[in-house]
Amino acid sequence: MTVHRLSRTEARRVAVRAQLLQKERPTDLLDLVRHLTMLQLDPTAAIAPNADLVAWSRLGSSYAPAELTAALEKRRLIELAAMLRPAEDLALYRAQMAAWPGTGKLRDWQVSLREWVRANDACRRDILDRLGSSGPLTSRELPDTCAVPWSSTGWTNNKNVIKLLDIMVARGEVAIAGRRGRERLWDLASRVYPDDPVVPADEAARVRDERRLRSLGIARARAAESPTEAWDVGEAGEPAVVEGVKGTWRVDPVYLDQPFSGRAVPGRAALLSPFDRLVHDRRRTLELCDFDYQLEMYKPAAKRRWGYFALPILYGDCLVGKLDATADRKAGLLRVHAIHQDVPFTKAISAAVHREINDLARWLKVDPSLPG
C-alpha cells in the first residue's frame, strides 16, 4: 500500500476538513454528531457546556441547546461514558460490554474490578431489582448495600453505588436514561438502548476505528490510552508520513481526493472548546499545528498563561491564538479578558475573530465586553 507523504500544512487541512470547521457550516445537529461520532460532556461551563460549545462552533448561532435536549429526550442521542453518541452506535459497544471486564489475559486492575463486583453481587442485584420496578432513579435513591467498600486515593473513595453503577454501564446492565438537574438518572439498559442487532466485537472495533478516523482525518495508529475516547485508530485508513514529524500516521483517503492548493483552504474564524476534538490530543496539536495549549483551570491563577478556560482560536487551517473569556450571565456580559495572539493577527484575522466573539455573545444572549 502506498504511504502518503503530507506536509504539515496538508495534514492540518485534512484535520480541519474532517472536523467540519471549514467555511461551509453543517446545518443539522444529528448529522453533525453522527460525523463527529460523539460530543463530550463536561460540567465546566465558564462559557457554555462543552457539548453545546462544540455544536455552536460548527453550526453557528442557528444552533439552540434545546435541540440537544430534545435529541436526548427522544433517545436519538444516548449518554455513554461521558459522551453523547448517536443511538444507533450503541450496537458497536454491546459486544464489548458483554465481555466485561475484557478478553484474554486480564490485567491486574481488571481482575480487581471483577472481584469487587463479585463481592458486591447482592448490591448489584438489588440495584437491578429497584430499577426494574421503579426506575429511572438517581444514585441517591439507590441504597448502598455493598459488603466491600470501594477504595481509591481519589474522589471515588467510598462512593460505592456510583462506582458500581458505572461498572454496570460498562457491563451493559444499566444505562443513563436522562438527568434530573445535574444528577444522572439510571435505568435498565434494555429500556434505554435501541434493540438493534449486536455487532461482533472485532467488527465493531474496526468500525469504531474507521469512524473515528473519518472524524479526525489524520491520527496515530497507536497512541496513549485515554480515559474517555480513544485517540488512535488502529489500521483504519491508509498509512501516511508528515514532513518534519516522526512516526507513521493513518489518514482517511476520502480527504485526499480533495486537491490541495498553494492557498489556504476557504476558512473562517472558529472559537473552540478546550475539549474540542481538533485539539483534544495535545501532542498531535503541537506536531501538526505547532500550537502549544493546556487547559489551565486547575492551575493557580498566577501561573496561568492564557486563562481559566481559554478557547483555542482557529483561522482558516491554522490555530492562531487563545481567547480568555467568561460568560457573566448575571451581568448579561461575555467578558473578554484577553485575546492571546500566537501569530501576529492581520486585519482580516482580527475582524474575523471579533465577528465570532460577537456571534458567541449573541448565541449566549449576552453583550460582548472587550478589554480597553
Side-chain angles (χ1 to χ4, degrees):
M1 182 180 292
T2 301
V3 177
H4 300 281
R5 299 188 176 276
L6 305 176
S7 67
R8 289 211 294 175
T9 298
E10 291 169 336
R12 284 200 311 272
R13 292 176 183 174
V14 165
V16 170
R17 286 170 176 155
Q19 279 289 294
L20 305 181
L21 284 163
Q22 292 182 265
K23 188 174 182 179
E24 298 77 17
R25 293 179 182 267
T27 59
D28 182 81
L29 174 64
L30 288 177
D31 287 345
L32 171 68
V33 181
R34 288 185 180 112
H35 178 85
L36 297 180
T37 73
M38 55 81 189
L39 293 176
Q40 181 174 338
L41 292 171
D42 187 87
T44 308
I47 293 175
N50 177 69
D52 289 321
L53 194 54
V54 170
W56 167 80
S57 66
R58 274 75 175 172
L59 300 169
S61 290
S62 63
Y63 165 69
E67 296 177 53
L68 188 60
T69 301
L72 288 165
E73 289 175 349
K74 294 176 182 177
R75 301 272 167 83
R76 293 174 179 170
L77 296 177
I78 291 177
E79 182 176 340
L80 176 66
M83 304 287 177
L84 302 182
R85 304 180 187 276
E88 61 269 23
D89 282 9
L90 268 294
L92 299 174
Y93 294 87
R94 298 304 297 270
Q96 178 180 313
M97 292 172 175
W100 187 94
T103 57
K105 182 175 175 56
L106 299 180
R107 299 180 184 179
D108 290 345
W109 65 266
Q110 291 173 307
V111 173
S112 296
L113 280 180
R114 183 188 64 191
E115 296 307 310
W116 185 76
V117 172
R118 285 178 177 174
N120 292 303
D121 190 60
C123 184
R124 183 184 70 84
R125 292 179 181 277
D126 181 59
I127 288 173
L128 291 174
D129 288 343
R130 290 175 184 271
L131 292 179
S133 60
S134 306
L137 298 171
T138 68
S139 61
R140 296 175 186 271
E141 296 169 311
L142 295 167
D144 181 358
T145 60
C146 284
V148 178
W150 175 258
S151 178
S152 78
T153 57
W155 68 274
T156 58
N157 198 50
N158 284 324
K159 295 191 175 181
N160 304 325
V161 172
I162 291 176
K163 185 62 184 179
L164 189 53
L165 284 166
D166 285 338
I167 292 174
M168 292 171 74
V169 169
R171 289 163 60 101
E173 295 175 315
V174 304
I176 298 168
R179 300 238 169 190
R180 184 185 298 160
R182 291 193 173 187
E183 287 193 272
R184 292 175 290 183
L185 287 170
W186 305 88
D187 205 347
L188 300 179
S190 58
R191 292 176 179 163
V192 178
Y193 296 158
D195 189 22
D196 295 333
V198 175
V199 180
D202 289 345
E203 181 184 352
R206 176 184 59 79
V207 172
R208 291 200 306 267
D209 284 344
E210 289 173 351
R211 295 198 60 229
R212 189 178 307 115
L213 182 59
R214 179 64 53 90
S215 74
L216 295 174
I218 184 168
R220 296 282 188 182
R222 298 286 180 269
E225 289 188 13
S226 168
T228 52
E229 181 76 0
W231 294 354
D232 53 30
V233 294
E235 299 305 310
E238 297 177 358
V241 293
V242 179
E243 182 181 0
V245 181
K246 294 181 179 179
T248 302
W249 298 74
R250 306 294 295 187
V251 65
D252 190 323
V254 71
Y255 301 109
L256 302 181
D257 293 339
Q258 305 174 33
F260 298 109
S261 65
R263 297 184 300 172
V265 296
R268 59 179 178 86
L271 306 176
L272 307 179
S273 165
F275 304 107
D276 197 287
R277 293 292 280 179
L278 185 69
V279 298
H280 73 294
D281 183 341
R282 309 301 192 214
R283 178 189 172 195
R284 172 180 179 263
T285 304
L286 184 62
E287 290 175 330
L288 298 186
C289 305
D290 196 24
F291 187 71
D292 182 18
Y293 181 80
Q294 292 179 348
L295 180 59
E296 298 181 314
M297 58 190 289
Y298 300 112
K299 288 185 177 182
K303 294 186 177 181
R304 294 174 190 151
R305 292 177 289 172
W306 308 305
Y308 176 82
F309 198 74
L311 306 186
I313 301 173
L314 178 72
Y315 181 74
D317 53 34
C318 294
L319 289 159
V320 296
K322 294 101 175 170
L323 173 70
D324 180 11
T326 306
D328 185 344
R329 290 171 177 81
K330 288 185 178 180
L333 295 173
L334 174 63
R335 297 190 185 277
V336 176
H337 309 295
I339 302 174
H340 302 281
Q341 301 182 19
D342 280 41
V343 299
F345 283 12
T346 63
K347 289 183 178 180
I349 294 176
S350 292
V353 170
H354 280 82
R355 282 195 299 271
E356 202 69 5
I357 291 172
N358 288 332
D359 190 68
L360 175 59
R362 278 194 301 273
W363 177 64
L364 293 170
K365 298 180 181 178
V366 297
D367 294 322
S369 175
L370 279 73

